[in-house]
Amino acid sequence: MTEDVAAVRQVLQDSDEPTVVVAHSYGGIVTAEAAAGVASVRHLLLISSYLPEVGQSLSEFGDGTPAPFLDVDLAAGTFGVRPELLVDTFLQDCDAVPVTARRGPRPPAEPGERDGAWFRR
């Protein structure tokens, strides 16, 4: 995630024009940290996202157990979204559309690694 934050932060710092940052889902985690302290950023608009404190990871939200919409496979060391809960969990505010794509299971972050680091693997 550190590379993602740095990349977004650089884009925000490259201009001094007043900026409204719009992010969705995981992007809210990245942009909230990247935009912190950038003078040109006037507003953050997070859609279906979390707003962590700078340096806080998504794994710090909740009670420490996997979210009910996750399909955790401990034997394989991966997790994904349970297909039957995808629409109600992440797309409940969208017009009805067929869901034709699904991101496959991903390995969780290594101990001490920031959430999302597995995203580019």
Side-chain angles (χ1 to χ4, degrees):
M1 183 169 102
T2 302
E3 292 170 8
D4 297 333
V5 170
V8 172
R9 188 171 188 78
Q10 186 61 54
V11 168
L12 296 173
Q13 290 176 328
D14 283 348
S15 173
D16 58 356
E17 292 292 318
T19 305
V20 174
V21 180
V22 180
H24 178 266
S25 189
Y26 168 74
I29 301 290
V30 173
T31 57
E33 186 163 338
V38 176
S40 62
V41 175
R42 299 295 190 257
H43 301 282
L44 291 176
L45 176 59
L46 304 180
I47 303 168
S48 297
S49 186
Y50 299 92
L51 179 57
E53 297 294 329
V54 171
Q56 186 178 27
S57 71
L58 185 57
S59 65
E60 295 175 58
F61 288 81
D63 63 4
T65 60
F69 57 81
L70 290 180
D71 179 15
V72 178
D73 184 343
L74 294 176
T78 62
F79 69 95
V81 174
R82 292 175 48 198
E84 71 276 13
L85 297 178
L86 178 66
V87 172
D88 288 342
T89 302
F90 296 104
L91 304 172
Q92 74 281 359
D93 55 348
C94 297
D95 293 336
V97 294
V99 177
T100 58
R102 178 175 177 258
R103 180 172 288 284
R106 299 288 183 237
E110 298 294 325
E113 184 177 56
R114 295 295 305 270
D115 293 336
W118 52 268
F119 197 71
R120 289 180 305 286
R121 288 187 192 160

